[in-house]
Amino acid sequence: SYCFEWSPKTFRDYTLFMADMLKALAKADMGLCDGHALNATIYKTNFVFIDFGALKCGMTKKNTLIEYINTHLIPLILYSKEQTERAYLFLKNAGLQYTLADIKGYLNDEEVEQIANLYNDVLHVKEQKDVLNFLDKIIKYINEMAEDSFSTKWQGYQNDEWDWSDDKEKWSDKMHNVMQMIESVKADSIVDLAGNMGWYGTYYHSKVNYVVVIDMDTHCVDYVWNRIRQYSLDNVIPIRMSICAPTLDYYRDEAISKTAIIPWRQNAVQRFKSDLVLALAIIHHLVFSQQLSFDEVIDQFLMFSNKYMIIEFVEQTDKYIWNFKREGFEWYTKENFEECLNKRCIILDTKPSTPGETRTLYLCEIVKD
């Protein structure tokens, strides 16, 4: 996964990781040639440095430390000021660098002075001890940033699932039936699309090779990251991404696909494609909010699956869907959805979700072309 697919909380932890690594390098009389945010990925809940070509003997130069501020601290500050889209726009385009001038409008005078002092400290770096002192100031600055900026607004949405996880007598029909379906296919990998707080995707994490939980809501992905660290869910990867616009292949000059050249960054479908796709309580959002047809929704799910899908359909009579209703969506019916699903898949099983009167779970096997 890439830094622009991480939640704000994940990126905050990453900035601290890189500061600690720069310190470790300085103590070994080593440094970095570049300070951008694409030097690492995540493996087993830890950040792993992968750009060994960026390592060098000797001190990290001032320009690289300034680049570290611009490419790590500036996006982090934007996250803390709820300028999430601005931060992601920058991180997706590694050639861009925001500076203090680009974020001054979001800061008070004291905050501007703090950042200006960090830039000024870089100018006085002359030897490794100065690098260490500078990085201690960076770490102190990050640790003093308000943690509440990274808390989730979705606390409570899936708390029943997490709170009842160890007591199956409290499980809802949806919880029981989704888990029975997952067990029945014995998948080696799972991608949970629009996975929210991640319980359904992660419950059987110990029985699969890996789980990817994808959601567009940064607060939800923050929550999953905290759970991963808290419970050592070391094969779960939380991703902030729209399933309508998954990460494209990326080359130095532009984003393209279907080429013989190996991309600088690989697209999300290739990286996250799994044996089993979970798509729970998301179809009505994609239809009513994104204006997608059933065929388009199913095709988008199929992009991420090698073998199976578990899809939840929410009918228009559901009490939580009334505010989605729009004229012209009379075609949004369970019968029409099943007809579209049968074109591309074999429906292996159906079970009631929760509430069972308006929600249905489908276990599907993909029909290969």
Side-chain angles (χ1 to χ4, degrees):
S1 59
Y2 304 122
C3 61
F4 56 87
E5 297 171 331
W6 300 341
S7 72
K9 179 65 172 64
T10 310
F11 190 79
R12 181 181 187 275
D13 291 344
Y14 162 70
T15 60
L16 289 168
F17 162 82
M18 281 305 302
D20 285 336
M21 179 159 179
L22 285 166
K23 284 186 65 176
L25 290 171
K27 291 175 181 177
D29 197 25
M30 295 183 67
L32 279 184
C33 299
D34 60 62
H36 62 68
L38 288 167
N39 282 327
T41 190
I42 297 173
Y43 180 70
K44 293 189 174 180
T45 74
N46 294 309
F47 298 100
V48 181
F49 186 86
I50 56 176
D51 189 5
F52 291 96
L55 297 176
K56 68 169 189 172
C57 294
M59 193 178 73
T60 300
K61 292 183 178 180
K62 297 175 185 179
N63 287 344
T64 301
L65 295 174
I66 291 174
E67 186 181 14
Y68 173 85
I69 297 176
N70 292 344
T71 59
H72 291 70
L73 287 196
I74 298 299
L76 193 62
I77 293 166
L78 288 171
Y79 284 137
S80 73
K81 298 299 181 181
E82 299 185 355
Q83 297 297 314
T84 303
E85 292 306 320
R86 289 180 180 272
Y88 279 116
L89 175 64
F90 160 65
L91 291 172
K92 285 182 178 180
N93 295 275
L96 296 177
Q97 285 192 41
Y98 289 167
T99 65
L100 177 56
D102 297 299
I103 64 167
K104 285 180 70 173
Y106 307 112
L107 309 178
N108 59 39
D109 291 342
E110 181 182 352
E111 291 169 332
V112 171
E113 184 179 0
Q114 286 178 321
I115 300 298
N117 286 339
L118 290 174
Y119 280 109
N120 186 59
D121 289 335
V122 174
L123 301 179
H124 296 89
V125 170
K126 295 180 179 179
E127 49 188 316
Q128 292 288 27
K129 69 176 183 179
D130 301 324
V131 174
L132 291 169
N133 289 335
F134 168 74
L135 291 167
D136 283 338
K137 292 177 181 179
I138 289 285
I139 292 169
K140 182 175 183 293
Y141 175 83
I142 296 170
N143 283 328
E144 288 178 351
M145 293 183 74
E147 280 281 2
D148 59 359
S149 300
F150 303 97
S151 63
T152 176
K153 68 180 180 182
W154 284 98
Q155 288 177 355
Y157 185 79
Q158 276 190 4
N159 274 5
D160 285 348
E161 284 87 344
W162 284 105
D163 291 343
W164 300 343
S165 190
D166 295 327
D167 187 356
K168 292 189 177 182
E169 291 186 2
K170 294 182 178 179
W171 281 23
S172 65
D173 287 342
K174 178 176 178 176
M175 295 168 72
H176 278 292
N177 291 336
V178 170
M179 292 309 141
Q180 287 175 11
M181 287 178 166
I182 292 175
E183 281 192 290
S184 70
V185 298
K186 295 180 170 51
D188 185 56
S189 52
I190 297 173
V191 57
D192 191 356
L193 299 178
N196 199 265
M197 293 162 68
W199 185 81
Y200 288 95
T202 61
Y203 183 77
Y204 281 130
H205 78 96
S206 62
K207 296 184 179 181
V208 299
N209 186 28
Y210 66 83
V211 176
V212 180
V213 179
I214 296 174
D215 203 281
M216 188 62 181
D217 191 291
T218 54
H219 304 285
C220 291
V221 188
D222 273 344
Y223 185 92
V224 178
W225 175 249
N226 285 333
R227 285 282 181 173
I228 287 169
R229 288 242 157 150
Q230 183 179 358
Y231 295 103
S232 298
L233 309 179
D234 61 7
N235 64 340
V236 178
I237 303 169
I239 297 296
R240 190 268 189 185
M241 189 184 73
S242 168
I243 60 175
C244 294
T247 305
L248 296 173
D249 284 332
Y250 189 88
Y251 298 80
R252 285 287 184 174
D253 57 345
E254 61 180 319
I256 58 177
S257 61
K258 295 183 179 178
T259 175
I261 303 169
I262 297 174
W264 186 45
R265 298 200 294 255
Q266 194 176 53
N267 70 68
V269 172
Q270 287 180 287
R271 286 180 288 125
F272 304 143
K273 197 164 190 174
S274 302
D275 286 351
L276 173 64
V277 160
L278 299 182
L280 307 177
I282 183 59
I283 291 176
H284 55 295
H285 291 276
L286 297 175
V287 169
F288 294 109
S289 297
Q290 298 293 334
Q291 309 288 299
L292 301 184
S293 68
F294 285 148
D295 284 328
E296 289 173 320
V297 170
I298 293 167
D299 284 345
Q300 204 68 12
F301 295 163
L302 286 169
M303 289 172 60
F304 290 92
S305 178
N306 289 318
K307 296 180 181 178
Y308 303 105
M309 297 191 296
I310 298 174
I311 303 175
E312 181 179 17
F313 184 79
V314 180
E315 298 181 45
Q316 287 209 40
T317 53
D318 190 274
K319 65 179 180 179
Y320 292 109
I321 204 175
W322 66 269
N323 58 325
F324 284 99
K325 289 183 179 179
R326 301 288 188 275
E327 291 185 6
F329 284 90
E330 293 78 14
W331 54 268
Y332 183 91
T333 66
K334 184 177 178 181
E335 292 74 23
N336 285 342
F337 172 71
E338 289 180 355
E339 182 180 347
C340 291
L341 197 57
N342 278 315
K343 293 177 187 175
R344 303 295 302 277
C345 307
I346 299 171
I347 299 176
L348 300 177
D349 194 11
T350 61
K351 291 182 182 295
S353 185
T354 302
E357 300 78 20
T358 58
R359 300 191 176 206
T360 305
L361 297 166
Y362 296 85
L363 173 60
C364 309
E365 183 176 4
I366 297 170
V367 177
K368 300 295 184 182
D369 294 333

